[in-house]
Amino acid sequence: MSDYEFSSIPAGAIGRYSLLKDAYYGTGGFANGRYLDKHERESKEAYAERRNGAYYLNYFAPIVNALVDPVFKRRPLRDFKGPAEDFITEFSKDVDRAGSDIHSFMKQVALHAKMYGVAFIVMDNRQMSEDTSGTRQDMMRNKDYPYVYCLDPEYVDSFGIDNTGAITYIRFHEISSIEDGAVKYRYVEFDRDGWRVLDESGGATSGTYNLGRVPVIPLYSRLLEGKTILPAPELMPVAMTARAIYNHCSWLSEILKNETFPILTIPSMDQKDIVVGTNNAMGYDPMASHEPAFIAPPSDPANVLQAQIQSLVQEMYRMASLSFMTGTGDNSNKSGLARQWEFERTNQQLANFASQCAKAENEMMQLFCQWIGSAIDYHVSYPDDFGVVDVADELTQAQAVLDLGLTNGLKEEVLKKVVAAYCPNITDERFDELLDEMREEGNDRIYGEEPREGNEPV
């Protein structure tokens, strides 16, 4: 293990990832108004009042969810065989010692990866017993095997990679405890030989393993160049746009407040503390050359801001390849074919992310087996097509093909498409049964018909 001094102040606790987290959860600067820009001529009192009245229109969270939820709408197909099959079964039911099964955990990691550009799956065994005399049943009953947890990139302090891009070591901090609002951290280091933990209280522990690698698996939000560990978050421009909308809404509210509550002007310099409302009246000299009147800021700036906010919202969805989700602007005038091609880009983006999730999960299971000294043949298949199927349209097209009176082979292909559209959750066994029924029905019809010349069954 390498020796180094741990900093008492976490190096990555405050950084570029704070805006992404706050934009998703509506916390931090969006909750206390810290993300509002102060005008040059704005007094401290006016700025404080504007911060108190600020509100956040959260478009960022639905965008992130729209890029993650479809991947986990249905459970991936997981197939595994080998000596570690019983361990994998138990591990998959509770992978983090907190009751999360493999599906829930992978969705959590995927959400963080999409939000931050990367999330790390850390596999740890610090709680494993050193007594190796127990049976496999004892190990599974006591959960005496590794567990995993999700590490956000904001907690990474330093790392190293080799010429292939593999991680050689990683150092990060994590919350150890919270007492009376005071957060205490512990500092962790993993390398290819072992681990080391140092608590802020001064206690240190360490251990070794024979993995030949660092037990940390990165899950990236997109395909990247090699030798990249902390990529620039792909949704950072979207989060920055969310902050711009937050400011625009505050400015718009200020203008609307001034327009809704205008200032009364009267032709006198001596009037003070005048109370004017809908339940009282104020007299004035009918011979006066100037009548009392209300003045308010012009409405043009408000109209400009409203249009700009709408434009920025559309830009957020466009940057995330989700323009088809907005029903305003140029999108409402697009043809069905144009919308289809637009969604195809999103479909490919989702498929690429699903592939990244499958790769990370496979690597996690192989690492688990390395740690317990066993082996597994593990395969996971995430969905690769996320199109929304119009069932009525699919059935109409299928009937049109059947009306052509084509071969039984084509009819079988039509049935496959109909079943996939109408019964998407059908089991593989039932799917095969339906195909067999159609083949039998086709054979019965052929052999039940009167033979025609040139069309006799062989």
Side-chain angles (χ1 to χ4, degrees):
M1 299 293 292
S2 59
D3 294 327
Y4 65 98
E5 295 294 329
F6 289 104
S7 171
S8 60
I9 301 176
I14 300 176
R16 59 179 176 174
Y17 300 106
S18 298
L19 176 61
L20 294 160
K21 180 189 293 184
D22 294 342
Y24 185 86
Y25 294 106
T27 54
F30 292 110
N32 58 27
R34 181 167 50 87
Y35 288 141
L36 288 181
D37 299 326
K38 184 176 179 296
H39 305 320
E40 293 182 2
R41 293 177 293 178
E42 189 175 26
S43 66
K44 292 182 179 180
E45 294 75 14
Y47 178 61
E49 181 181 355
R50 194 159 60 88
R51 286 181 58 168
N52 290 333
Y55 60 93
Y56 174 51
L57 300 178
N58 194 342
Y59 296 99
F60 186 76
I63 287 175
V64 176
N65 294 339
L67 296 173
V68 175
D69 289 345
V71 177
F72 295 89
K73 182 179 180 180
R74 292 192 296 269
R75 287 182 174 269
L77 298 177
R78 296 180 170 92
D79 183 32
F80 49 90
K81 293 181 181 180
E85 184 173 342
D86 49 355
F87 275 100
I88 292 293
T89 300
E90 290 301 314
F91 173 67
S92 298
K93 296 177 183 177
D94 182 9
V95 299
D96 59 356
R97 304 281 176 85
S100 303
D101 63 11
I102 182 63
H103 185 75
S104 301
F105 177 76
M106 287 303 300
K107 184 175 182 179
Q108 175 199 0
V109 178
L111 179 65
H112 288 227
K114 182 59 69 173
M115 193 189 316
Y116 299 125
V118 64
F120 299 94
I121 301 173
V122 180
M123 185 168 289
D124 203 344
N125 78 332
R126 279 176 276 167
Q127 299 179 10
M128 285 182 67
S129 171
E130 296 182 359
D131 182 11
T132 59
S133 62
T135 64
R136 292 170 67 92
Q137 288 74 18
D138 292 335
M139 292 178 65
M140 286 188 290
R141 182 174 59 254
N142 299 327
K143 294 188 176 181
D144 196 13
Y145 46 74
Y147 64 98
V148 291
Y149 59 92
C150 178
L151 173 68
D152 292 337
E154 66 176 314
Y155 296 108
V156 175
D157 298 317
S158 63
F159 61 88
I161 58 176
D162 60 19
N163 59 349
T164 67
I167 301 175
T168 58
Y169 76 89
I170 188 169
R171 300 166 183 167
F172 59 89
H173 60 274
E174 57 187 14
I175 295 176
S176 175
S177 63
I178 301 177
E179 298 178 1
D180 297 328
V183 180
K184 292 185 177 181
Y185 292 90
R186 60 171 169 250
Y187 304 88
V188 184
E189 176 186 4
F190 284 102
D191 63 20
R192 289 176 171 174
D193 300 315
W195 53 269
R196 180 188 176 195
V197 178
L198 180 64
D199 227 78
E200 280 193 335
S201 59
T205 56
S206 62
T208 60
Y209 39 67
N210 296 317
L211 300 175
R213 58 159 294 170
V214 178
V216 175
I217 303 165
L219 171 58
Y220 299 106
S221 65
R222 53 181 168 170
L223 298 175
L224 297 168
E225 297 180 357
K227 303 181 182 180
T228 302
I229 299 299
L230 294 178
E234 65 172 319
L235 294 182
M236 179 60 79
V238 183
M240 294 176 67
T241 306
R243 177 174 177 171
I245 292 176
Y246 181 60
N247 276 273
H248 282 56
C249 287
S250 177
W251 301 336
L252 179 61
S253 295
E254 193 73 9
I255 293 175
L256 294 178
K257 180 180 70 174
N258 292 332
E259 288 185 350
T260 305
F261 304 101
I263 300 174
L264 175 67
T265 62
I266 59 176
S268 173
M269 301 295 294
D270 300 328
Q271 300 292 341
K272 296 181 179 180
D273 298 328
I274 298 178
V275 178
V276 179
T278 57
N279 58 350
N280 59 11
M282 181 186 71
Y284 68 96
D285 186 355
M287 304 302 295
S289 58
H290 297 283
E291 298 179 359
F294 286 96
I295 61 172
S299 61
D300 291 344
N303 296 332
V304 171
L305 282 171
Q306 287 176 330
Q308 180 67 3
I309 291 172
Q310 184 179 14
S311 176
L312 289 175
V313 171
Q314 294 180 32
E315 282 299 305
M316 289 180 68
Y317 282 91
R318 184 196 63 79
M319 288 187 288
S321 298
L322 295 172
S323 297
F324 61 92
M325 293 181 62
T326 61
T328 58
D330 296 337
N331 189 63
S332 58
N333 299 323
K334 291 181 180 178
S335 66
L337 184 59
R339 287 171 179 264
Q340 185 176 349
W341 277 107
E342 193 172 74
F343 177 76
E344 187 58 34
R345 293 195 297 270
T346 307
N347 193 33
Q348 188 59 52
Q349 182 179 0
L350 291 171
N352 290 339
F353 187 49
S355 176
Q356 296 285 93
C357 293
K359 177 183 176 182
E361 183 176 332
N362 276 314
E363 188 176 350
M364 178 177 67
M365 292 305 183
Q366 296 303 325
L367 178 60
F368 176 86
C369 290
Q370 275 185 269
W371 216 320
I372 64 174
S374 189
I376 195 70
D377 183 17
Y378 190 93
H379 297 282
V380 58
S381 177
Y382 280 74
D384 58 4
D385 188 3
F386 304 92
V388 179
V389 178
D390 187 338
V391 177
D393 184 59
E394 288 288 335
L395 294 178
T396 301
Q397 293 184 26
Q399 185 60 53
V401 174
L402 292 175
D403 291 343
L404 296 176
L406 302 176
T407 64
N408 289 334
L410 268 176
K411 291 180 181 178
E412 183 173 322
E413 296 302 318
V414 171
L415 175 63
K416 291 179 181 179
K417 292 201 65 175
V418 169
V419 172
Y422 196 71
C423 308
N425 298 321
I426 195 172
T427 63
D428 293 340
E429 292 78 9
R430 181 55 181 161
F431 186 83
D432 293 337
E433 289 176 3
L434 291 174
L435 289 181
D436 292 339
E437 289 178 9
M438 194 207 74
R439 295 188 186 106
E440 292 177 3
E441 181 181 346
N443 291 334
D444 292 343
R445 185 169 59 253
I446 291 176
Y447 287 100
E449 294 176 351
E450 291 292 334
R452 291 179 297 175
E453 186 177 354
N455 190 30
E456 298 173 352
V458 179

